[in-house]
């Protein structure tokens, strides 16, 4: 049984570290990307089961990363959870427009993130064979 | 003046002269016949005349007095005062004369009055003997005519004034005839458009002249662009129908407005950046604190656990302060947009109560909730109403001593839903009741430092309730407790749509933007009811609603659901845009129906109307968006 792979895209290394600890604790395999370009490369080469994507990223921002993936037949099925700071309503509306599947507002409770991921991945941490 | 002297002295002279002649004749006789009897008789007559002299003088005075009155009256009339009358009560011709004079003035007065009166009085015969006076009064009439001429001159003068107003006006004033040619321009038009009068006159105006105020671009000869506010009104020019165009130069105002918009954007960006910058470190702190507290890296001793919980508590407090500050700044900027949907209010209250349960248990506070027997889903922003209850119940716990009681309830009072949070806390003094909802007001703090908030919670609460078109107030008694009451209006989806569309129309009209109303109906709902249970139908509609909700694009966009279908409303959506949206939505919904295996059984009909292309009023828009449901196929 292979664990489901989650790509975490977040430029704050320490926050990424905390998310990684929680996701690994929950039983997922975690991949890390610190900028938009890296995220796109890893999404295309590593074929993750889900992407946790921050909005503000170096090189290519989260919206663009999401749009590029969602407009690509090959990757559009990968669920995207966006991490946003709830400063403006338009963040969220724009996010849905580019095809994000869920939103989590910072500061978030890790339980919420885990619950959202579980919902989008259909509950199991393992890939079905 | 001359008249008065003359008559008086003439009379005296008339009496004097025969006396002198008589004396003279008497003296001549006396010269020839010293003792002629006639001489004595003549002298006697002269003496008699001399005696009569003062009498004549006095009676002449009386006559003059009457004549003076007459003359004064005539002068008054000459001045145009027709109200004057002569009052002579001598009982002789003089009085008759006065009466006739008065009558005559009345006649003249009648002539200035309405036509009917004039004709009635005109036929009155004027006594012949007073014709001279009539001449005087004719003079008075002449004065009246002179006044009229003067009034005409005044009119010319005011025309000149008006002309100078138009010429001196800072706004461009242009007359455009029905063929679209410029017939008149004032100097301001030359300045604003930077064109000579000769160039403008007789040329085509070249801008559509609909009768409403609007902004126009002014392209200046010397380069540069300005903005004008143009108003068009109908007028006549030299007897022909024409348009009066005024252009008010608002270039500077426009520049100031643009600056303000930029500043506002800067502020929004600042708030957004700062909040992101503050939240990221907070999130990191919170995450690692919770990793430690969950003992992922290793076991904690009781001291470590206690101090860690203090750290966590203060991280939460800091997060709350940032949230409150952001909320209040966004409320001030009117940037808070409710994301309303149909929500079970009772479950929100239960959630909040559960969330506060550990805190309440710690103080042995009893929680009670009360809901109406049947509570329909309310059209509210769930997150915001949750925030309201969190504020109110949080406050209640904070200010209620141990062994207290807190009741959270909903009451359906026909007109609206009333929500109440009652506590048995310390209460609020009457003099402080007004301050409760004022931002940064904190008072009556007897609790420890941990109980401090930002003083923003209730100000935010009030604003959120007002955004929901409700109101909030409180009843409180010191040392007995407080009761916060707020209302939430009842809406039917139809009323809600009506209200929302009308408000959006107003906005669209001022900002000259478009909006589109989509109506998605289920074909033949009665047949569907045979096939599906009501619950299944509702859940399908709810799914579709969710799909539509995901494609909402911003402020003002809504999705509404009722038993027969859905309404999907987008602001800032023109016809071209609407076509794209529709094809996307159709695709999405058909994907969903196919995925659920419902494509055969369930058919959706789309209706669409765009403001201002298809309709200009809310009713028209809603009517035209209704899809033509083809029932023959099903």
């Amino acid at each position: 049984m292979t664990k489901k792979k989650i790509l975490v895209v977040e430029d704050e290394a320490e926050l990424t570290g905390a998310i990684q600890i929680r996701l690994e604790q929950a039983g997922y395999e975690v991949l890390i990307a610190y900028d938009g370009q890296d995220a796109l490369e890893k999404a295309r080469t590593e074929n993750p089961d889900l992407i946790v994507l921050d909005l503000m990223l170096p090189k290519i921002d989260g919206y663009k990363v999401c749009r590029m993936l969602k407009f690509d037949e090959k990757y559009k099925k990968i669920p995207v959870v966006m991490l946003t700071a709830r400063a403006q309503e338009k963040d969220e509306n724009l996010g849905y427009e580019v095809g994000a599947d869920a939103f989590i507002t910072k500061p978030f409770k890790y339980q919420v993130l885990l619950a959202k991921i579980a919902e989008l991945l259909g509950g199991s941490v393992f890939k079905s064979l | 003046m001359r008249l008065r002297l003359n008559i008086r002295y003439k009379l005296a002279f008339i009496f004097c002269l025969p006396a002198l002649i008589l004396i003279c004749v008497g003296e001549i006789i006396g010269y020839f016949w010293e003792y002629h009897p006639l001489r004595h008789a003549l002298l006697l007559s002269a003496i008699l005349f001399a005696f009569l002299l003062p009498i004549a003088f006095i009676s002449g005075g009386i006559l003059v007095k009457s004549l003076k009155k007459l003359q004064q009256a005539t002068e008054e009339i000459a001045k145009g005062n027709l109200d004057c009358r002569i009052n002579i009560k001598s009982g002789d011709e003089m009085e008759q004369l006065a009466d006739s004079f008065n009558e005559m003035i009345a006649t003249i007065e009648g002539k200035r009055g309405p036509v009917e009166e004039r004709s009635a009085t005109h036929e009155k015969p004027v006594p012949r003997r007073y014709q001279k006076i009539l001449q005087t009064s004719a003079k008075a009439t002449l004065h009246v005519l002179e006044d009229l001429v003067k009034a005409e001159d005044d009119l010319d003068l005011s025309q000149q004034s008006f002309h100078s107003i138009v010429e001196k006006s800072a706004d461009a004033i242009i007359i455009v005839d029905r063929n679209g040619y410029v017939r008149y321009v004032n100097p301001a038009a030359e300045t604003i458009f930077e064109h000579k009068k000769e160039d403008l006159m007789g040329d085509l105006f070249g801008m559509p002249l609909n009768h409403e105020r609007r902004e126009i671009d002014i392209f200046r000869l010397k380069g540069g662009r300005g903005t004008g506010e143009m108003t068009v009104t109908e007028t006549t020019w030299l007897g022909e129908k024409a348009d009066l165009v005024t252009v008010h130069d608002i270039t500077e105002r426009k520049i100031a407005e643009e600056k303000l918009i930029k500043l506002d954007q800067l502020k929004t960006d600042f708030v957004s950046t700062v909040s992101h910058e503050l939240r990221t470190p907070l999130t990191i702190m919170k995450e690692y604190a919770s990793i430690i507290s969950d003992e992922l890296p290793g076991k904690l001793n009781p001291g470590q656990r206690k101090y860690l919980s203090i750290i966590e508590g203060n991280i939460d407090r800091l997060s709350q302060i940032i949230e409150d500050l952001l909320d209040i700044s966004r409320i001030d900027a009117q940037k808070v947009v409710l994301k309303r949907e149909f929500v079970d209010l009772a479950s929100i209250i239960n959630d909040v109560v559960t969330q506060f349960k550990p805190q309440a248990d710690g103080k042995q506070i009893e929680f009670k909730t009360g809901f109406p027997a049947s509570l329909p889903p309310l059209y509210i922003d769930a997150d915001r109403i949750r925030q309201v209850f969190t504020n109110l119940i949080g406050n209640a716990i904070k200010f209620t001593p141990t062994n207290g009681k807190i009741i959270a309830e909903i009451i359906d009072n026909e007109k609206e839903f009333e929500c109440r949070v009652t506590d048995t806390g310390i209460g609020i003094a009457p003099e402080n009741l007004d301050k409760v909802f004022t931002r940064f007001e904190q008072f009556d703090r007897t609790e420890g430092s941990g109980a401090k908030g930002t003083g923003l919670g209730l100000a935010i609460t009030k604003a959120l309730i007002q955004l929901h078109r409700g109101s909030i107030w409180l009843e409180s008694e010191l040392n007995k407790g407080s009761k916060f009451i707020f209302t939430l209006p009842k809406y039917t989806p139809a009323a809600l749509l009506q209200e929302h569309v009308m408000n959006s129309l107003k906005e669209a009209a001022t900002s000259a933007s478009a909006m589109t109303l989509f109506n998605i109906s289920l074909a033949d709902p009665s047949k569907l009811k045979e096939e599906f249970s009501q619950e299944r139908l509702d859940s399908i509609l709810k799914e579709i609603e969710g799909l539509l909700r995901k494609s909402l694009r911003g402020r003002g966009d809504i999705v509404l659901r009722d038993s027969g279908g859905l309404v999907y409303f987008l602001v800032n959506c023109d016809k071209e845009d609407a076509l794209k949206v529709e094809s996307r939505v159709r695709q999405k919904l058909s994907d969903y129906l196919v995925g659920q295996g419902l494509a055969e059984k369930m058919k959706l009909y789309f209706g669409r109307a765009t403001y201002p292309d298809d309709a200009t009023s809310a009713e028209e828009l809603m009517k035209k968006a209704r899809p033509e449901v083809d029932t023959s196929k099903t």
Side-chain angles (χ1 to χ4, degrees):
Chain A
M1 294 246 257
T2 32
K3 286 177 181 174
K4 280 183 183 162
K5 222 189 276 179
I6 295 176
L7 173 62
V8 177
V9 191
E10 163 67 64
D11 61 324
E12 288 279 344
E14 286 168 344
L15 183 59
T16 318
I19 296 170
Q20 186 175 7
I21 293 170
R22 286 294 182 186
L23 292 181
E24 282 175 356
Q25 173 75 15
Y28 297 106
E29 188 190 334
V30 178
L31 287 166
I32 307 281
Y34 295 113
D35 63 59
Q37 204 179 320
D38 193 19
L40 278 174
E41 274 167 27
K42 288 206 166 108
R44 284 165 185 162
T45 54
E46 300 283 341
N47 202 23
D49 295 287
L50 185 142
I51 301 170
V52 175
L53 185 62
D54 188 38
L55 268 187
M56 288 199 190
L57 289 173
K59 294 185 187 168
I60 304 171
D61 72 35
Y63 289 132
K64 281 206 188 109
V65 172
C66 187
R67 193 185 310 150
M68 288 167 98
L69 291 174
K70 288 291 175 184
F71 278 67
D72 193 326
E73 276 302 319
K74 242 172 118 183
Y75 308 108
K76 78 172 192 186
K77 289 262 155 57
I78 305 173
V80 173
V81 178
M82 275 203 167
L83 298 180
T84 71
R86 200 180 105 192
Q88 287 161 304
E89 306 282 342
K90 73 170 187 205
D91 285 356
E92 210 158 299
N93 292 324
L94 196 55
Y96 279 128
E97 194 81 328
V98 296
D101 298 271
F103 276 88
I104 291 184
T105 314
K106 287 183 194 170
F108 56 85
K109 286 196 172 101
Y110 76 91
Q111 294 96 324
V112 176
L113 179 64
L114 285 178
K116 204 69 198 178
I117 290 172
E119 184 191 319
L120 289 167
L121 290 182
S124 166
V125 278
F126 297 107
K127 286 186 187 180
S128 49
L129 295 169
Chain B
M1 274 303 169
R2 261 177 65 202
L3 181 77
R4 190 177 71 183
L5 288 174
N6 273 353
I7 284 240
R8 241 180 158 177
Y9 289 94
K10 264 182 197 163
L11 276 170
F13 188 67
I14 287 163
F15 283 90
C16 245
L17 196 65
L20 279 172
I21 292 164
L22 287 173
I23 289 166
C24 285
V25 172
E27 280 308 302
I28 291 163
I29 293 167
Y31 183 76
F32 293 104
W33 307 281
E34 199 170 346
Y35 297 106
H36 196 282
L38 198 65
R39 191 188 160 195
H40 294 283
L42 288 171
L43 206 62
L44 215 67
S45 311
I47 289 163
L48 197 74
F49 271 112
F51 267 115
L52 285 169
L53 183 77
I55 298 161
F57 200 77
I58 289 159
S59 63
I62 293 164
L63 193 68
V64 165
K65 219 172 170 182
S66 304
L67 283 172
K68 203 179 136 196
K69 277 188 188 171
L70 209 64
Q71 187 223 356
Q72 275 173 351
T74 318
E75 276 173 9
E76 277 298 307
I77 290 156
K79 282 183 205 155
N81 174 19
L82 294 184
D83 289 338
C84 78
R85 294 289 182 272
I86 308 163
N87 183 23
I88 298 171
K89 286 279 168 270
S90 54
D92 55 7
E93 283 89 342
M94 220 53 219
E95 189 183 329
Q96 277 180 29
L97 176 65
D99 287 346
S100 303
F101 186 87
N102 287 341
E103 212 170 282
M104 180 197 66
I105 295 163
T107 314
I108 294 166
E109 205 168 21
K111 277 190 183 168
R112 287 222 313 201
V115 186
E116 302 89 327
E117 266 180 60
R118 190 168 53 194
S119 61
T121 47
H122 188 68
E123 283 153 19
K124 273 199 174 175
V126 179
R128 244 179 129 192
R129 51 197 169 146
Y130 303 131
Q131 267 185 6
K132 184 141 191 180
I133 297 166
L134 188 66
Q135 274 170 12
T136 325
S137 63
K139 247 187 202 168
T141 318
L142 205 69
H143 277 290
V144 173
L145 281 172
E146 275 171 8
D147 282 352
L148 279 173
V149 171
K150 197 171 162 288
E152 218 160 87
D153 287 348
D154 286 350
L155 197 67
D156 275 349
L157 211 67
S158 77
Q159 248 169 7
Q160 276 170 20
S161 310
F162 269 119
H163 192 251
S164 93
I165 290 170
V166 171
E167 291 279 309
K168 296 250 163 72
S169 161
D171 290 351
I173 297 170
I174 303 154
I175 303 279
V176 180
D177 66 19
R178 277 296 140 101
N179 299 318
Y181 286 98
V182 174
R183 301 288 295 274
Y184 169 82
V185 294
N186 71 340
E190 295 180 278
T191 321
I192 290 175
F193 291 102
E194 285 183 353
H195 275 285
K196 286 248 170 66
K197 193 173 187 161
E198 303 85 70
D199 298 336
L200 292 167
M201 296 266 273
D203 212 354
L204 274 169
F205 184 64
M207 268 185 271
L209 295 171
N210 34 0
H211 289 220
E212 56 193 37
R213 184 177 293 196
R214 64 193 178 95
E215 280 180 15
I216 55 163
D217 287 330
I218 301 168
F219 296 98
R220 285 178 171 144
L221 204 60
K222 291 166 194 158
R225 237 182 71 186
T227 312
E229 194 176 63
M230 183 169 85
T231 319
V232 183
T233 40
E234 222 166 78
T235 186
T236 51
W237 181 255
L238 304 174
E240 283 172 41
K241 277 196 173 168
D243 284 310
L244 172 71
V245 182
T246 48
V247 179
H248 181 58
D249 191 342
I250 56 164
T251 309
E252 275 176 34
R253 194 179 88 195
K254 205 74 190 161
I255 291 168
E257 270 174 15
E258 272 159 23
K259 267 188 191 159
L260 261 178
I261 291 167
K262 267 186 200 156
L263 267 174
D264 195 53
Q265 188 58 43
L266 212 68
K267 195 190 81 187
T268 315
D269 290 350
F270 175 77
V271 168
S272 156
T273 311
V274 167
S275 73
H276 184 78
E277 294 308 320
L278 288 174
R279 274 162 201 221
T280 309
L282 260 176
T283 310
I284 295 169
M285 282 158 76
K286 201 178 163 69
E287 281 310 303
Y288 283 101
S290 77
I291 286 169
I292 297 169
S293 109
D294 283 355
E295 300 185 322
L296 295 185
K299 282 252 174 229
L300 292 173
N301 67 36
Q304 288 169 330
R305 179 163 292 288
K306 187 183 162 196
Y307 302 143
L308 186 61
S309 79
I310 293 174
I311 293 173
E312 286 189 301
N314 279 280
I315 291 172
D316 288 344
R317 190 169 147 199
L318 195 53
S319 306
Q320 190 56 54
I321 292 169
I322 292 168
E323 292 306 316
D324 281 359
L325 285 171
L326 279 172
D327 271 346
I328 207 83
S329 73
R330 290 196 309 148
I331 286 165
D332 283 348
Q334 297 183 327
K335 287 248 164 70
V336 177
V337 183
L338 296 182
K339 277 182 265 169
R340 298 195 198 202
E341 51 200 338
F342 290 95
V343 179
D344 178 20
L345 186 57
S347 73
I348 289 181
I349 295 177
N350 284 330
D351 281 355
V352 178
V353 167
T354 314
Q355 179 198 323
F356 281 107
K357 196 92 173 79
Q359 251 178 287
D361 287 346
K363 287 173 92 176
Q364 274 99 52
I365 292 170
E366 188 195 341
F367 258 134
K368 265 189 151 181
T369 51
F371 309 123
S374 77
L375 182 69
L378 302 191
Y379 190 71
I380 50 175
D381 183 327
D383 287 342
R384 292 309 194 172
I385 293 298
R386 190 189 306 275
Q387 191 180 349
V388 165
F389 276 105
T390 306
N391 276 336
L392 294 180
I393 295 176
N395 271 346
I397 291 178
K398 209 183 282 177
F399 298 110
T400 301
T402 44
N403 298 316
K405 197 171 159 186
I406 294 169
I407 308 164
E409 55 193 337
I410 308 170
I411 287 147
D412 183 351
N413 74 3
E414 303 277 307
K415 257 183 29 231
E416 58 213 346
F417 291 102
E418 215 176 273
C419 302
R420 297 183 189 167
V421 175
T422 315
D423 64 47
T424 56
I426 55 172
I428 295 157
E431 66 267 23
N432 287 330
L433 281 178
D434 293 346
K435 297 187 207 156
V436 167
F437 296 108
T438 314
R439 59 186 64 176
F440 300 117
E441 281 284 354
Q442 295 185 354
F443 40 81
D444 295 346
R445 294 305 175 121
T446 51
E447 302 289 299
S449 61
K452 268 187 194 144
T454 51
L456 287 171
L458 286 175
I460 294 166
T461 297
K462 185 177 182 174
L464 292 179
I465 295 300
Q466 283 172 339
L467 277 172
H468 277 88
R469 288 179 174 268
S471 51
I472 184 164
W473 67 96
L474 86 151
E475 292 160 11
S476 187
E477 206 178 321
L478 212 54
N479 300 321
K480 286 263 174 71
S482 306
K483 184 192 275 181
F484 282 83
I485 304 153
F486 70 87
T487 58
L488 289 170
K490 284 186 177 179
Y491 283 113
T492 59
L496 198 81
L497 181 69
Q498 171 101 13
E499 184 187 301
H500 190 75
V501 171
M502 272 193 348
N503 288 341
S504 307
L505 261 174
K506 258 185 237 154
E507 235 172 80
T510 49
S511 63
S513 58
M515 51 189 220
T516 301
L517 184 70
F518 299 87
N519 201 324
I520 300 157
S521 287
L522 289 173
D524 207 355
S526 59
K527 199 172 180 188
L528 283 173
K529 271 177 197 162
E530 286 171 23
E531 205 142 344
F532 301 101
S533 67
Q534 186 62 46
E535 268 174 26
R536 177 79 177 117
L537 263 182
D538 282 347
S539 86
I540 291 167
L541 278 173
K542 203 173 175 181
E543 285 285 328
I544 295 175
E545 186 189 356
L547 286 171
L548 289 177
R549 198 169 291 283
K550 277 190 186 173
S551 53
L552 293 186
R553 312 187 295 181
R555 183 177 175 190
D557 293 354
I558 56 163
V559 180
L560 286 174
R561 170 166 54 96
D562 63 26
S563 58
L566 294 126
V567 174
Y568 177 46
F569 179 68
L570 298 179
V571 293
N572 287 324
C573 179
D574 61 23
K575 206 153 184 161
E576 200 185 323
D577 214 359
L579 277 166
K580 286 185 203 155
V581 170
E582 188 179 315
S583 76
R584 207 172 62 209
V585 166
R586 271 178 191 270
Q587 187 58 48
K588 257 189 186 179
L589 296 187
S590 104
D591 283 353
Y592 165 75
L593 290 178
V594 169
Q596 295 279 314
L598 295 164
E600 293 296 311
K601 293 173 190 162
M602 204 170 263
K603 206 162 160 49
L604 296 174
Y605 286 98
F606 283 74
R608 166 171 52 81
T610 302
Y611 166 90
D613 307 64
D614 306 319
T616 50
S617 75
E619 289 78 17
E620 208 185 342
L621 200 68
M622 287 190 277
K623 204 175 136 196
K624 291 213 170 144
R626 219 166 283 152
E628 283 168 32
V629 178
D630 183 4
T631 46
S632 62
K633 278 185 194 165
T634 48

